[in-house]
Amino acid sequence: MRKFDKAGMFMDNLVSEEKVAGCSVKVVLENKVVYEHYTGYADLKDQIPIEETTLFRIYSMTKPVTVTAALQLYEQGKFLLNDPVAEYLPEFKEMQVCIPEQKGGYKLVPAKREIQIKDLFCMTSGFTYDGNSCLTERLTGKLLQTLYQNFEKTSCPTREFVRKIATLPLAFEPGTRWRYGLSHDVLGGLIEVLSGQKFGEYVKEHIFDPLFMADTAFHMGQEKLGRLASVYTYQDGKLLPRTDIFQKNYTMKSMCESGGAGLVSSLADYVKFASALTNGGTSAEGTKILGKQTVDLMRRDHLGRLYQYMDWKVLSGYSYGLGVRTLAYPEEGGVNGTIGEFGWSGMAGTYVLMDPEKALTIVYMQQLVPSREDWIHPRLRNIIYGCL
Protein backbone atom coordinates (compact mmCIF):
# COMPACT_ATOMS: atom_id res chain seq x y z
CA MET A 1 0.00 0.00 0.00
CA ARG A 2 1.28 3.47 -0.89
CA LYS A 3 1.84 5.96 1.91
CA PHE A 4 -1.46 7.88 1.59
CA ASP A 5 -3.71 5.13 0.17
CA LYS A 6 -5.73 5.08 3.40
CA ALA A 7 -7.05 8.52 2.40
CA GLY A 8 -8.09 7.22 -1.01
CA MET A 9 -9.82 4.20 0.54
CA PHE A 10 -11.71 6.51 2.88
CA MET A 11 -12.85 8.67 -0.04
CA ASP A 12 -13.82 5.65 -2.17
CA ASN A 13 -16.00 4.49 0.71
CA LEU A 14 -17.68 7.90 0.86
CA VAL A 15 -18.73 7.39 -2.76
CA SER A 16 -19.62 3.69 -2.56
CA GLU A 17 -21.72 4.32 0.55
CA GLU A 18 -23.38 7.28 -1.26
CA LYS A 19 -22.31 9.81 1.32
CA VAL A 20 -21.07 12.03 -1.54
CA ALA A 21 -21.45 11.88 -5.32
CA GLY A 22 -17.74 12.40 -5.86
CA CYS A 23 -14.69 13.97 -4.24
CA SER A 24 -11.01 14.69 -4.78
CA VAL A 25 -7.93 15.48 -2.71
CA LYS A 26 -4.35 16.66 -3.13
CA VAL A 27 -1.64 16.36 -0.50
CA VAL A 28 1.46 18.55 -0.86
CA LEU A 29 4.51 17.89 1.30
CA GLU A 30 7.60 20.08 1.13
CA ASN A 31 6.36 21.73 -2.08
CA LYS A 32 5.75 18.42 -3.87
CA VAL A 33 2.42 16.78 -4.63
CA VAL A 34 2.83 13.44 -2.85
CA TYR A 35 -0.73 12.19 -3.25
CA GLU A 36 -3.89 12.94 -5.24
CA HIS A 37 -7.08 10.97 -5.60
CA TYR A 38 -10.28 11.39 -7.63
CA THR A 39 -13.36 9.26 -7.10
CA GLY A 40 -17.03 9.39 -8.05
CA TYR A 41 -18.85 11.84 -10.25
CA ALA A 42 -19.17 15.56 -10.77
CA ASP A 43 -22.60 14.79 -12.25
CA LEU A 44 -24.37 11.52 -11.48
CA LYS A 45 -26.97 11.73 -14.22
CA ASP A 46 -24.47 12.25 -17.03
CA GLN A 47 -21.76 10.12 -15.36
CA ILE A 48 -19.16 12.90 -15.58
CA PRO A 49 -16.19 11.84 -13.42
CA ILE A 50 -14.44 14.08 -10.90
CA GLU A 51 -11.11 15.27 -12.34
CA GLU A 52 -8.28 17.61 -11.39
CA THR A 53 -9.85 20.46 -13.39
CA THR A 54 -13.45 19.93 -12.22
CA LEU A 55 -14.82 23.26 -11.01
CA PHE A 56 -16.35 23.59 -7.54
CA ARG A 57 -18.34 26.25 -5.75
CA ILE A 58 -15.96 26.75 -2.84
CA TYR A 59 -18.25 29.10 -0.87
CA SER A 60 -16.48 30.06 2.37
CA MET A 61 -13.11 28.81 1.17
CA THR A 62 -13.25 32.20 -0.57
CA LYS A 63 -12.52 33.74 2.83
CA PRO A 64 -8.79 32.84 3.02
CA VAL A 65 -8.37 34.45 -0.40
CA THR A 66 -10.14 37.61 0.77
CA VAL A 67 -8.07 37.96 3.93
CA THR A 68 -4.88 37.33 1.95
CA ALA A 69 -5.82 40.13 -0.43
CA ALA A 70 -6.59 42.46 2.48
CA LEU A 71 -3.32 41.58 4.20
CA GLN A 72 -1.42 42.45 1.02
CA LEU A 73 -2.81 45.98 1.43
CA TYR A 74 -1.92 45.87 5.13
CA GLU A 75 1.67 45.12 4.09
CA GLN A 76 1.55 48.22 1.88
CA GLY A 77 0.63 50.41 4.84
CA LYS A 78 -2.89 51.06 3.56
CA PHE A 79 -4.44 50.41 6.99
CA LEU A 80 -3.75 49.20 10.53
CA LEU A 81 -5.70 46.33 12.04
CA ASN A 82 -6.90 48.50 14.92
CA ASP A 83 -8.18 51.25 12.61
CA PRO A 84 -11.94 51.92 12.68
CA VAL A 85 -13.66 50.53 9.57
CA ALA A 86 -15.52 53.85 9.24
CA GLU A 87 -12.24 55.63 8.53
CA TYR A 88 -12.37 54.00 5.09
CA LEU A 89 -16.05 53.01 4.78
CA PRO A 90 -17.93 55.94 6.36
CA GLU A 91 -21.32 54.21 6.31
CA PHE A 92 -20.13 52.15 9.33
CA LYS A 93 -19.60 55.25 11.51
CA GLU A 94 -22.65 55.08 13.78
CA MET A 95 -23.73 51.48 14.19
CA GLN A 96 -26.52 50.22 16.40
CA VAL A 97 -26.59 47.02 18.46
CA CYS A 98 -29.69 44.85 18.72
CA ILE A 99 -30.49 44.08 22.39
CA PRO A 100 -33.19 41.55 23.39
CA GLU A 101 -35.62 42.84 26.02
CA GLN A 102 -36.80 40.82 29.02
CA LYS A 103 -40.46 41.01 28.03
CA GLY A 104 -39.75 40.02 24.45
CA GLY A 105 -38.86 41.99 21.39
CA TYR A 106 -35.71 44.00 20.78
CA LYS A 107 -34.34 47.50 21.16
CA LEU A 108 -31.56 49.21 19.25
CA VAL A 109 -28.83 51.08 21.12
CA PRO A 110 -25.72 52.90 19.83
CA ALA A 111 -22.61 50.72 19.74
CA LYS A 112 -20.15 51.50 22.55
CA ARG A 113 -17.19 51.44 20.19
CA GLU A 114 -16.61 51.44 16.47
CA ILE A 115 -15.99 48.29 14.47
CA GLN A 116 -12.25 47.88 13.91
CA ILE A 117 -10.78 46.32 10.80
CA LYS A 118 -9.45 43.50 12.96
CA ASP A 119 -13.07 42.71 13.91
CA LEU A 120 -13.79 42.03 10.23
CA PHE A 121 -10.89 39.59 9.99
CA CYS A 122 -11.76 37.86 13.28
CA MET A 123 -15.56 37.65 12.95
CA THR A 124 -15.98 39.82 16.05
CA SER A 125 -17.75 42.68 14.24
CA GLY A 126 -21.34 41.87 15.19
CA PHE A 127 -22.40 40.97 11.65
CA THR A 128 -23.90 37.50 11.36
CA TYR A 129 -25.36 35.22 8.75
CA ASP A 130 -29.11 34.66 8.55
CA GLY A 131 -30.87 32.51 11.12
CA ASN A 132 -33.68 32.69 13.65
CA SER A 133 -31.95 33.48 16.92
CA CYS A 134 -32.08 37.27 16.82
CA LEU A 135 -33.56 40.18 14.92
CA THR A 136 -30.18 40.93 13.31
CA GLU A 137 -30.05 37.46 11.74
CA ARG A 138 -33.61 37.73 10.46
CA LEU A 139 -32.85 41.09 8.83
CA THR A 140 -29.65 39.66 7.37
CA GLY A 141 -31.67 36.77 5.95
CA LYS A 142 -34.01 39.19 4.16
CA LEU A 143 -31.05 41.08 2.69
CA LEU A 144 -29.39 37.89 1.44
CA GLN A 145 -32.66 36.53 0.07
CA THR A 146 -33.16 39.71 -1.96
CA LEU A 147 -29.62 39.43 -3.33
CA TYR A 148 -29.57 35.71 -4.10
CA GLN A 149 -33.07 35.30 -5.53
CA ASN A 150 -31.80 36.98 -8.69
CA PHE A 151 -28.14 36.02 -8.28
CA GLU A 152 -27.42 35.49 -11.97
CA LYS A 153 -28.69 38.90 -13.04
CA THR A 154 -28.21 41.02 -9.92
CA SER A 155 -26.90 44.52 -10.56
CA CYS A 156 -25.68 44.88 -6.96
CA PRO A 157 -21.89 45.45 -7.08
CA THR A 158 -19.72 44.53 -4.10
CA ARG A 159 -19.43 48.10 -2.82
CA GLU A 160 -23.20 48.60 -2.95
CA PHE A 161 -23.77 45.29 -1.14
CA VAL A 162 -21.41 46.45 1.62
CA ARG A 163 -23.42 49.65 2.01
CA LYS A 164 -26.52 47.51 2.49
CA ILE A 165 -24.73 45.49 5.17
CA ALA A 166 -24.04 48.75 7.02
CA THR A 167 -27.80 49.29 7.42
CA LEU A 168 -28.09 46.13 9.56
CA PRO A 169 -27.97 46.33 13.36
CA LEU A 170 -25.14 44.47 15.06
CA ALA A 171 -25.91 41.26 16.95
CA PHE A 172 -23.49 42.24 19.75
CA GLU A 173 -21.01 44.91 20.74
CA PRO A 174 -17.94 44.83 18.47
CA GLY A 175 -15.05 42.85 19.90
CA THR A 176 -17.08 41.06 22.59
CA ARG A 177 -17.72 37.67 20.94
CA TRP A 178 -17.12 35.55 17.84
CA ARG A 179 -20.02 34.99 15.44
CA TYR A 180 -19.70 33.76 11.88
CA GLY A 181 -21.14 36.15 9.31
CA LEU A 182 -20.73 38.85 6.69
CA SER A 183 -17.49 40.38 8.00
CA HIS A 184 -15.39 39.20 5.05
CA ASP A 185 -17.90 40.58 2.56
CA VAL A 186 -17.21 43.95 4.17
CA LEU A 187 -13.48 43.26 3.73
CA GLY A 188 -14.18 42.87 0.00
CA GLY A 189 -15.58 46.41 -0.04
CA LEU A 190 -12.60 47.68 1.93
CA ILE A 191 -10.25 46.11 -0.62
CA GLU A 192 -12.07 47.96 -3.40
CA VAL A 193 -11.75 51.33 -1.65
CA LEU A 194 -8.09 50.90 -0.69
CA SER A 195 -6.94 49.45 -4.00
CA GLY A 196 -9.09 51.49 -6.37
CA GLN A 197 -10.00 48.27 -8.20
CA LYS A 198 -13.02 46.01 -8.34
CA PHE A 199 -12.59 43.21 -5.83
CA GLY A 200 -12.50 40.51 -8.50
CA GLU A 201 -9.99 42.47 -10.56
CA TYR A 202 -7.74 42.92 -7.54
CA VAL A 203 -7.56 39.24 -6.56
CA LYS A 204 -7.07 38.24 -10.21
CA GLU A 205 -4.14 40.64 -10.67
CA HIS A 206 -2.46 40.11 -7.30
CA ILE A 207 -3.21 36.47 -6.43
CA PHE A 208 -4.70 34.38 -9.24
CA ASP A 209 -2.58 35.55 -12.19
CA PRO A 210 0.76 35.46 -10.30
CA LEU A 211 -0.03 31.89 -9.15
CA PHE A 212 -1.35 30.83 -12.59
CA MET A 213 -4.83 30.10 -11.20
CA ALA A 214 -6.72 30.37 -14.48
CA ASP A 215 -9.85 28.57 -13.22
CA THR A 216 -10.52 30.60 -10.07
CA ALA A 217 -12.92 33.53 -10.34
CA PHE A 218 -16.19 35.02 -9.14
CA HIS A 219 -17.71 34.63 -12.60
CA MET A 220 -16.93 32.35 -15.51
CA GLY A 221 -17.77 32.11 -19.17
CA GLN A 222 -20.29 29.69 -20.63
CA GLU A 223 -17.46 27.56 -22.02
CA LYS A 224 -16.55 26.40 -18.48
CA LEU A 225 -20.04 25.43 -17.32
CA GLY A 226 -19.55 21.85 -18.44
CA ARG A 227 -16.74 21.49 -15.88
CA LEU A 228 -18.82 22.77 -12.95
CA ALA A 229 -19.78 19.97 -10.56
CA SER A 230 -23.40 19.62 -9.52
CA VAL A 231 -24.41 20.22 -5.91
CA TYR A 232 -26.21 17.36 -4.17
CA THR A 233 -28.21 16.85 -1.01
CA TYR A 234 -29.04 13.70 0.95
CA GLN A 235 -32.75 12.97 1.14
CA ASP A 236 -34.63 9.79 2.00
CA GLY A 237 -31.40 7.80 1.84
CA LYS A 238 -30.50 9.04 -1.64
CA LEU A 239 -28.25 11.64 -3.22
CA LEU A 240 -30.38 14.14 -5.12
CA PRO A 241 -29.33 17.27 -7.04
CA ARG A 242 -30.13 20.60 -5.41
CA THR A 243 -32.54 22.76 -7.36
CA ASP A 244 -32.13 26.00 -5.37
CA ILE A 245 -29.53 28.77 -5.08
CA PHE A 246 -26.76 26.23 -4.47
CA GLN A 247 -27.02 25.08 -8.09
CA LYS A 248 -26.49 28.54 -9.57
CA ASN A 249 -23.94 28.75 -12.36
CA TYR A 250 -21.82 31.83 -11.52
CA THR A 251 -21.93 33.13 -15.07
CA MET A 252 -20.72 36.57 -16.11
CA LYS A 253 -24.11 38.24 -15.58
CA SER A 254 -23.77 38.81 -11.83
CA MET A 255 -22.00 41.93 -10.57
CA CYS A 256 -21.76 40.81 -6.93
CA GLU A 257 -18.35 39.51 -5.83
CA SER A 258 -18.76 38.08 -2.35
CA GLY A 259 -15.64 38.18 -0.19
CA GLY A 260 -17.24 35.60 2.06
CA ALA A 261 -18.51 32.99 -0.37
CA GLY A 262 -18.32 33.89 -4.04
CA LEU A 263 -15.51 31.99 -5.76
CA VAL A 264 -15.44 29.02 -8.09
CA SER A 265 -12.17 27.09 -8.21
CA SER A 266 -10.60 23.75 -9.08
CA LEU A 267 -8.50 21.41 -6.97
CA ALA A 268 -5.48 22.13 -9.18
CA ASP A 269 -5.89 25.89 -8.70
CA TYR A 270 -6.65 26.07 -5.00
CA VAL A 271 -3.66 23.88 -4.13
CA LYS A 272 -1.41 26.54 -5.68
CA PHE A 273 -2.85 29.23 -3.40
CA ALA A 274 -2.89 27.09 -0.26
CA SER A 275 0.64 25.79 -0.82
CA ALA A 276 1.96 29.34 -1.08
CA LEU A 277 0.52 30.17 2.35
CA THR A 278 1.90 26.93 3.80
CA ASN A 279 5.27 27.99 2.42
CA GLY A 280 5.23 31.31 4.26
CA GLY A 281 3.44 33.26 1.53
CA THR A 282 5.69 32.25 -1.38
CA SER A 283 4.94 29.59 -3.99
CA ALA A 284 7.33 26.75 -4.83
CA GLU A 285 8.21 28.70 -8.00
CA GLY A 286 9.19 31.77 -5.97
CA THR A 287 6.08 33.94 -6.42
CA LYS A 288 5.46 35.90 -3.23
CA ILE A 289 1.87 36.82 -2.40
CA LEU A 290 2.38 37.57 1.31
CA GLY A 291 5.24 37.90 3.78
CA LYS A 292 6.04 35.06 6.18
CA GLN A 293 5.59 37.27 9.24
CA THR A 294 2.13 38.22 7.99
CA VAL A 295 1.16 34.58 7.38
CA ASP A 296 2.29 33.82 10.93
CA LEU A 297 0.12 36.70 12.15
CA MET A 298 -2.81 35.30 10.18
CA ARG A 299 -2.59 31.88 11.84
CA ARG A 300 -2.13 33.06 15.43
CA ASP A 301 -4.96 32.71 17.95
CA HIS A 302 -6.59 36.15 17.92
CA LEU A 303 -9.62 35.29 20.05
CA GLY A 304 -8.13 34.62 23.48
CA ARG A 305 -11.03 34.46 25.95
CA LEU A 306 -13.53 34.79 23.09
CA TYR A 307 -12.59 31.23 22.08
CA GLN A 308 -15.58 30.11 24.19
CA TYR A 309 -17.93 31.35 21.46
CA MET A 310 -16.48 29.00 18.82
CA ASP A 311 -18.84 26.18 19.70
CA TRP A 312 -18.97 24.33 16.36
CA LYS A 313 -18.32 20.60 16.75
CA VAL A 314 -16.06 20.50 13.69
CA LEU A 315 -13.89 23.25 15.21
CA SER A 316 -13.24 21.50 18.52
CA GLY A 317 -9.64 22.28 19.46
CA TYR A 318 -9.44 25.25 17.09
CA SER A 319 -9.50 28.97 17.74
CA TYR A 320 -9.65 31.72 15.10
CA GLY A 321 -6.94 33.84 13.54
CA LEU A 322 -7.24 36.50 10.84
CA GLY A 323 -9.97 34.85 8.77
CA VAL A 324 -8.92 31.24 9.35
CA ARG A 325 -9.34 28.54 11.97
CA THR A 326 -6.09 27.83 13.81
CA LEU A 327 -5.30 24.75 15.87
CA ALA A 328 -4.74 25.90 19.45
CA TYR A 329 -5.93 23.08 21.71
CA PRO A 330 -5.29 19.74 19.95
CA GLU A 331 -5.91 17.67 23.09
CA GLU A 332 -9.36 19.20 23.53
CA GLY A 333 -10.33 18.39 19.96
CA GLY A 334 -8.61 15.01 19.78
CA VAL A 335 -6.60 16.32 16.81
CA ASN A 336 -3.33 14.66 15.76
CA GLY A 337 -2.23 17.81 13.92
CA THR A 338 0.22 20.61 14.67
CA ILE A 339 -0.46 23.69 16.78
CA GLY A 340 -0.74 26.60 14.36
CA GLU A 341 -2.10 24.49 11.50
CA PHE A 342 -4.73 26.67 9.81
CA GLY A 343 -7.36 26.76 7.08
CA TRP A 344 -11.11 26.79 6.48
CA SER A 345 -13.92 24.99 4.65
CA GLY A 346 -16.87 25.73 2.37
CA MET A 347 -20.60 25.20 2.72
CA ALA A 348 -20.63 22.37 0.17
CA GLY A 349 -17.83 20.52 1.98
CA THR A 350 -14.63 21.80 0.39
CA TYR A 351 -11.71 21.89 2.85
CA VAL A 352 -8.20 23.30 3.11
CA LEU A 353 -5.52 22.64 5.72
CA MET A 354 -2.13 24.38 5.80
CA ASP A 355 0.61 23.31 8.22
CA PRO A 356 3.84 25.32 7.84
CA GLU A 357 5.65 23.32 10.54
CA LYS A 358 5.17 20.07 8.60
CA ALA A 359 5.26 21.81 5.17
CA LEU A 360 1.91 20.08 4.59
CA THR A 361 -1.04 21.24 2.48
CA ILE A 362 -4.31 19.35 2.09
CA VAL A 363 -7.09 20.45 -0.27
CA TYR A 364 -10.27 18.38 -0.53
CA MET A 365 -13.23 19.03 -2.83
CA GLN A 366 -16.87 17.84 -2.86
CA GLN A 367 -20.32 19.36 -3.54
CA LEU A 368 -22.91 18.40 -0.91
CA VAL A 369 -25.32 20.60 1.08
CA PRO A 370 -25.61 19.95 4.01
CA SER A 371 -21.95 19.01 3.70
CA ARG A 372 -21.43 16.44 6.50
CA GLU A 373 -18.18 18.24 7.25
CA ASP A 374 -18.42 17.32 10.94
CA TRP A 375 -18.05 13.67 9.93
CA ILE A 376 -15.82 13.86 6.84
CA HIS A 377 -13.22 16.54 7.48
CA PRO A 378 -11.84 15.46 10.88
CA ARG A 379 -11.54 11.85 9.71
CA LEU A 380 -9.73 12.76 6.50
CA ARG A 381 -7.39 15.10 8.41
CA ASN A 382 -6.56 12.43 11.02
CA ILE A 383 -5.97 9.79 8.32
CA ILE A 384 -3.54 11.99 6.40
CA TYR A 385 -1.60 13.02 9.50
CA GLY A 386 -1.43 9.37 10.42
CA CYS A 387 0.22 8.66 7.06
CA LEU A 388 3.08 11.12 7.61
Side-chain angles (χ1 to χ4, degrees):
M1 181 181 290
R2 291 185 301 163
K3 190 172 184 179
F4 293 96
D5 274 352
K6 289 180 182 178
M9 292 169 61
F10 173 75
M11 292 165 57
D12 288 342
N13 287 336
L14 291 178
V15 173
S16 64
E17 295 170 7
E18 296 189 340
K19 287 185 169 67
V20 298
C23 53
S24 58
V25 72
K26 274 198 179 191
V27 180
V28 178
L29 198 58
E30 297 179 347
N31 286 323
K32 295 180 181 179
V33 177
V34 294
Y35 186 75
E36 56 188 308
H37 189 70
Y38 309 90
T39 183
Y41 295 98
D43 187 276
L44 288 170
K45 180 181 177 183
D46 294 333
Q47 297 284 281
I48 301 173
I50 292 279
E51 298 176 339
E52 184 182 30
T53 55
T54 298
L55 297 177
F56 298 87
R57 302 157 183 83
I58 63 171
Y59 295 113
S60 287
M61 256 166 57
T62 300
K63 290 177 169 70
V65 175
T66 300
V67 299
T68 297
L71 287 172
Q72 288 179 335
L73 297 170
Y74 162 87
E75 289 186 334
Q76 296 172 29
K78 298 287 188 181
F79 67 90
L80 299 176
L81 286 173
N82 292 334
D83 285 346
V85 174
E87 186 174 327
Y88 309 95
L89 305 176
E91 63 266 31
F92 291 93
K93 180 65 177 176
E94 296 179 356
M95 299 301 296
Q96 292 185 310
V97 179
C98 182
I99 307 294
E101 295 186 304
Q102 289 184 344
K103 296 181 180 180
Y106 300 87
K107 64 178 179 180
L108 299 179
V109 300
K112 293 178 182 178
R113 76 154 171 86
E114 292 191 60
I115 302 169
Q116 296 176 352
I117 293 177
K118 182 178 179 180
D119 292 318
L120 299 180
F121 280 94
C122 296
M123 295 288 177
T124 55
S125 64
F127 293 117
T128 67
Y129 279 136
D130 55 313
N132 299 312
S133 63
C134 69
L135 175 63
T136 301
E137 291 184 348
R138 293 202 292 271
L139 292 174
T140 302
K142 290 181 180 179
L143 173 62
L144 293 176
Q145 184 178 24
T146 300
L147 176 70
Y148 292 138
Q149 273 179 340
N150 297 305
F151 179 79
E152 292 298 333
K153 58 183 179 181
T154 180
S155 59
C156 183
T158 302
R159 186 69 185 92
E160 183 180 333
F161 180 47
V162 169
R163 289 191 181 95
K164 292 180 185 296
I165 293 174
T167 67
L168 299 170
L170 303 176
F172 51 85
E173 292 286 348
T176 62
R177 63 170 53 194
W178 182 91
R179 182 86 68 85
Y180 200 48
L182 293 166
S183 294
H184 294 171
D185 287 277
V186 180
L187 271 182
L190 180 68
I191 289 166
E192 290 200 342
V193 168
L194 294 178
S195 69
Q197 294 180 273
K198 293 292 185 183
F199 180 38
E201 293 173 356
Y202 180 89
V203 292
K204 182 178 187 301
E205 180 179 341
H206 297 277
I207 297 176
F208 303 152
D209 285 353
L211 295 177
F212 301 100
M213 298 169 63
D215 284 330
T216 305
F218 288 104
H219 320 294
M220 59 185 177
Q222 293 286 337
E223 73 280 0
K224 292 188 178 182
L225 286 181
R227 292 164 50 200
L228 184 62
S230 296
V231 181
Y232 290 88
T233 191
Y234 203 70
Q235 184 176 326
D236 298 326
K238 295 181 179 180
L239 284 169
L240 300 174
R242 299 283 302 217
T243 57
D244 52 11
I245 179 63
F246 296 104
Q247 205 67 293
K248 294 296 183 181
N249 287 331
Y250 293 80
T251 56
M252 301 297 291
K253 298 176 184 177
S254 174
M255 294 181 67
C256 185
E257 297 170 335
S258 167
L263 287 173
V264 170
S265 190
S266 65
L267 180 65
D269 261 18
Y270 206 91
V271 162
K272 297 174 184 177
F273 166 71
S275 295
L277 292 186
T278 301
N279 204 37
T282 301
S283 72
E285 294 74 27
T287 299
K288 183 177 179 180
I289 59 170
L290 212 56
K292 183 181 184 302
Q293 289 293 109
T294 308
V295 174
D296 287 343
L297 179 66
M298 180 196 296
R299 66 190 183 99
R300 285 200 190 112
D301 177 3
H302 285 264
L303 289 188
R305 63 182 177 80
L306 300 183
Y307 162 73
Q308 62 183 305
Y309 295 105
M310 287 192 67
D311 56 357
W312 297 1
K313 180 181 177 181
V314 73
L315 293 179
S316 180
Y318 289 88
S319 189
Y320 203 72
L322 297 180
V324 291
R325 67 170 192 273
T326 184
L327 185 58
Y329 313 101
E331 297 87 357
E332 181 177 325
V335 181
N336 61 352
T338 310
I339 291 176
E341 164 258 290
F342 67 111
W344 202 241
S345 58
M347 183 181 290
T350 56
Y351 174 77
V352 60
L353 179 151
M354 296 162 284
D355 184 343
E357 310 308 323
K358 292 285 189 291
L360 171 70
T361 304
I362 304 168
V363 180
Y364 168 82
M365 298 290 196
Q366 65 169 52
Q367 297 283 262
L368 181 72
V369 179
S371 68
R372 294 184 167 182
E373 68 175 12
D374 288 2
W375 197 93
I376 296 172
H377 294 175
R379 285 171 168 81
L380 181 63
R381 174 202 63 210
N382 294 346
I383 289 168
I384 292 174
Y385 268 104
C387 293
L388 295 181

